[in-house]
Amino acid sequence: MFILELTYTAPLDRVDAALSDHVAWLEQGYAAGHFIASGRKDPRDGGVIIAAGIDRATAEKLAAEDPFVREGVCEYRITEFVATKTAPALAEYREQLPS
């Protein structure tokens, strides 16, 4: 599982100009089954996406394809973790530690 943390590197007017393309890109990630949650940070200086069922190379590729990145308005920090505990509704995403 991955946490994709976005940090804006441009003023919000530039972020907002790319927002509709970013939302369309998010919808593609959800439709493909890669993303399970996303949203803005508060205060609004970036966002967070939780991705599952992919490897690191795919997470990096997805981040690079984000219109926010192509427009130069954000940077990504990608953190991989093993979700060994989840809420019951997320049980299908539980993982086992490697042996």
Side-chain angles (χ1 to χ4, degrees):
M1 192 169 290
F2 294 88
I3 298 172
L4 287 69
E5 181 181 6
L6 298 74
T7 301
Y8 297 146
T9 58
L12 286 179
D13 62 327
R14 288 195 46 216
V15 172
D16 288 340
L19 186 58
S20 63
D21 289 340
H22 171 74
V23 170
W25 170 83
L26 282 171
E27 292 299 330
Q28 291 174 348
Y30 280 106
H34 301 317
F35 300 156
I36 60 173
S38 61
R40 291 179 177 174
K41 290 194 264 183
D42 185 11
R44 189 179 174 204
D45 60 1
V48 174
I49 302 166
I50 300 176
I54 59 174
D55 59 20
R56 183 162 196 96
T58 302
E60 291 173 357
K61 180 178 183 284
L62 287 166
E65 293 171 348
D66 183 346
F68 278 174
V69 171
R70 291 197 318 260
E71 293 297 321
V73 301
C74 90
E75 294 178 345
Y76 270 87
R77 177 177 174 208
I78 300 173
T79 304
E80 184 172 4
F81 73 102
V82 180
T84 56
K85 292 190 74 65
T86 66
L90 298 174
E92 70 183 277
Y93 297 106
R94 285 187 198 139
E95 301 173 291
Q96 298 294 318
L97 290 172
S99 14

